[in-house]
Amino acid sequence: MRVSIISTSDVHGYVRADDFRRPLLNDGLGLTRAATVIAALQERAAHGEAVVTIENGDFIQGSPLTNYVEKQAPEDTGIYQQLADAVGYDVRVFGNHEFNYGRDYLERVMADTPQLLNANVLDAETHQPFIGKPYAVFERAGVKIGVIGLLTKYVAKWEQADNIRGLLFADPVEVAQNYIAELRPQVDVLVIAYHGGFAEDLQTGEPLERLTSENQGYQLLHLPGVDALVTGHQHRMIAEVADGVPTTQPGYRADNVGLITLDLDEQQTVVGREASLIKTADAAERADIVALIEPLQSQTNQWLDTAVGTVGDNMRITDHFAARLHSHPFIELVNRVQMDATQTTIANTALFNDEVRGLANDVTLRDIMTNYIYPNTLVVEALTGQDIKDALEVNGRYFAVAADGTLTVNPLFIEPKVQHYNYDIWSGIDYTFDFSRPAGDRVTAVSYQGQPLDMAATYEVAMNNYRAGGAGNFTMFSTDKIVREVQLETAELIGDYIMAHPEIHIAQPTNITAGGFQN
């Protein structure tokens, strides 16, 4: 007997094969393509195999379409369940971004989701799953398959407090151990669906990143009684068998489908294991799902083409490395928006990924939402000069000097997961890096309004709510330093700022000096 465990993760609302950018376009992705692959795999059930299909989180947030539904068409939130039913998911789990639009929205969208498995997001009073059930058992082709649904507990460190009010994010490893003990005697195969990833090399256990409790996949993989592990969150492409347990992580925006196969003998004991990923770019879009989403897709595209204003002719980003090293007019624009909205004079932001292309002179909502891709809001923290310098030292780790003396990106920000979003560019201060010095001691000068930064003085700094909780190893930032917040999404604030400043022209910033390497 063969058991097939099929999965997608981190679809992020990319249903059609369209990343919404114009004139650039990436169409090698999308749930409509993945659904074609999944349908072909689900045909195995017709030939006597046991098949379970998992949607592993971050499904209802992350694209202009999900933003449109949340902001302009809340009556259409049922589309997510319609899509899940059309694909034929047996299991759905929470992703961390499911909470970005707030608890009320999440409950409206997912409280009645019959496939929802949630073992560790608990009501703080009852310590029971606040919605969903912790596990499910499927009997397929005579095989009993148990699935436990889990989410990284780090949501509590990232998310705005009101969005997760009354919720407790329990440790997934501890929760899994308890449910494995309960479930294992009832099933032939036990699967964990975990919206989280790996902080360690799967084969050696060596750390690949700073060890926190964000990505506990390695620990889950080694729990006794686990036959297969489906992961996500990191947007990595993983298909391996480690210590006898197959695991997958199927990328981002439905660009891959994960497949785990388990072969069972006559006693229903697992005797063979495989893990693989199937790229979806070459699959046709499934027509029924195209028809299902097309009305909302069209409405979203019309909305995105709304004109906002003009910003000058120098906000296109063509060299992302240079933009991060020297800043860029587009980055300065975002920081100015943050400072204007929070009434501060210092701000930081990140160039999130290399798909960010900046703005043409004539700006539409599409341009804003495909450049500033997260539903971040703004936070002001009271930081000492020392806090600011310490944060700059964290940023200084982003770069490394190669053997030939040239500057490059530190591999730790590329592997195992690309993390350009964890390098911030600051406005309102002038600062100097010397990359010939060791990491942690690269900031040689910082000044504010023409004077050296006072290490003991306190300064108000604007940043996004994700960074304000210390995410990205910025331990000097914390929620107890927050002095005020702006509960409007930054993308909306950027649009408002452009409309309010019809003659924007921002020159190339000159506040960052970098040396200690060969040009």
Side-chain angles (χ1 to χ4, degrees), residues 458-507:
T458 299
Y459 303 86
E460 291 190 347
V461 178
M463 64 188 74
N464 66 57
N465 62 288
Y466 171 80
R467 184 69 77 235
N473 300 328
F474 289 87
T475 57
M476 68 295 303
F477 303 153
S478 62
T479 54
D480 60 0
K481 295 178 181 179
I482 294 173
V483 294
R484 60 184 178 278
E485 302 181 47
V486 175
Q487 294 292 343
L488 292 172
E489 291 185 17
T490 305
E492 181 179 346
L493 293 171
I494 293 171
D496 291 345
Y497 186 90
I498 293 172
M499 286 187 283
H501 298 79
E503 301 296 330
I504 292 176
H505 179 76
I506 297 175

Side-chain angles (χ1 to χ4, degrees), residues 128-166:
Q128 296 299 309
F130 91 104
I131 56 175
K133 55 188 178 183
Y135 63 80
V137 177
F138 304 94
E139 186 161 352
R140 302 281 162 85
V143 180
K144 290 184 178 180
I145 305 165
V147 185
I148 301 169
L150 298 166
L151 170 64
T152 173
K153 70 178 185 180
Y154 241 55
V155 178
K157 292 185 176 292
W158 300 319
E159 197 52 74
Q160 299 176 57
D162 188 59
N163 286 356
I164 55 174
R165 66 184 184 281

Side-chain angles (χ1 to χ4, degrees), residues 500-519:
H501 298 79
E503 301 296 330
I504 292 176
H505 179 76
I506 297 175
Q508 168 62 42
T510 59
N511 64 309
I512 304 174
T513 302
F517 59 94
Q518 297 292 324
N519 289 320

Side-chain angles (χ1 to χ4, degrees), residues 217-471:
Y218 186 82
Q219 289 71 35
L220 291 168
L221 192 70
H222 289 85
L223 290 179
V226 175
D227 293 307
L229 173 66
V230 173
T231 71
H233 179 55
Q234 294 173 305
H235 300 180
R236 294 170 63 188
M237 290 181 285
I238 297 172
E240 293 188 37
V241 178
D243 198 23
V245 180
T247 185
T248 55
Q249 187 172 138
Y252 171 48
R253 299 185 297 193
D255 57 3
N256 284 269
V257 170
L259 176 62
I260 292 171
T261 56
L262 302 172
D263 292 315
L264 278 60
D265 63 16
E266 293 181 357
Q267 287 73 46
Q268 308 291 43
T269 300
V270 177
V271 294
R273 308 158 180 86
E274 293 182 2
S276 61
L277 297 181
I278 302 169
K279 289 189 70 65
T280 63
D282 295 330
E285 292 191 88
R286 215 174 92 183
D288 61 323
I289 297 182
V290 170
L292 184 60
I293 198 61
E294 189 53 37
L296 272 173
Q297 188 87 6
S298 295
Q299 294 167 31
T300 300
N301 277 313
Q302 291 174 20
W303 177 62
L304 289 175
D305 287 332
T306 302
V308 174
T310 60
V311 294
D313 59 3
N314 65 339
M315 288 208 185
R316 285 290 194 196
I317 300 174
T318 57
D319 186 335
H320 293 76
F321 184 87
R324 293 187 178 100
L325 181 60
H326 301 297
S327 192
H328 186 277
F330 173 75
I331 296 167
E332 179 69 17
L333 170 66
V334 176
N335 275 336
R336 287 191 189 184
V337 170
Q338 295 186 147
M339 291 186 287
D340 181 77
T342 59
Q343 297 301 294
T344 56
T345 54
I346 305 174
N348 62 53
T349 192
L351 187 55
F352 297 129
N353 61 47
D354 286 352
E355 288 188 356
V356 175
R357 297 293 172 175
L359 303 173
N361 179 47
D362 294 313
V363 180
T364 65
L365 283 179
R366 182 187 305 277
D367 299 316
I368 294 171
M369 301 193 75
T370 56
N371 277 280
Y372 200 98
I373 59 176
Y374 297 116
N376 294 331
T377 58
L378 297 183
V379 168
V380 178
E381 291 200 2
L383 302 175
T384 65
Q386 187 64 55
D387 289 334
I388 293 172
K389 184 176 183 296
D390 290 345
L392 292 173
E393 291 289 4
V394 175
N395 292 325
R397 298 171 188 160
Y398 176 81
F399 294 101
V401 179
D404 63 359
T406 59
L407 200 64
T408 186
V409 177
N410 185 335
L412 293 176
F413 285 80
I414 305 297
E415 296 290 346
K417 176 183 178 179
V418 178
Q419 298 184 62
H420 297 309
Y421 56 84
N422 279 331
Y423 169 74
D424 291 331
I425 302 100
W426 291 62
S427 298
I429 56 174
D430 294 272
Y431 53 102
T432 301
F433 289 123
D434 181 351
F435 292 111
S436 68
R437 299 165 69 102
D441 187 32
R442 288 176 164 173
V443 179
T444 58
V446 189
S447 62
Y448 170 68
Q449 297 183 345
Q451 298 296 320
L453 200 68
D454 186 337
M455 295 296 109
T458 299
Y459 303 86
E460 291 190 347
V461 178
M463 64 188 74
N464 66 57
N465 62 288
Y466 171 80
R467 184 69 77 235

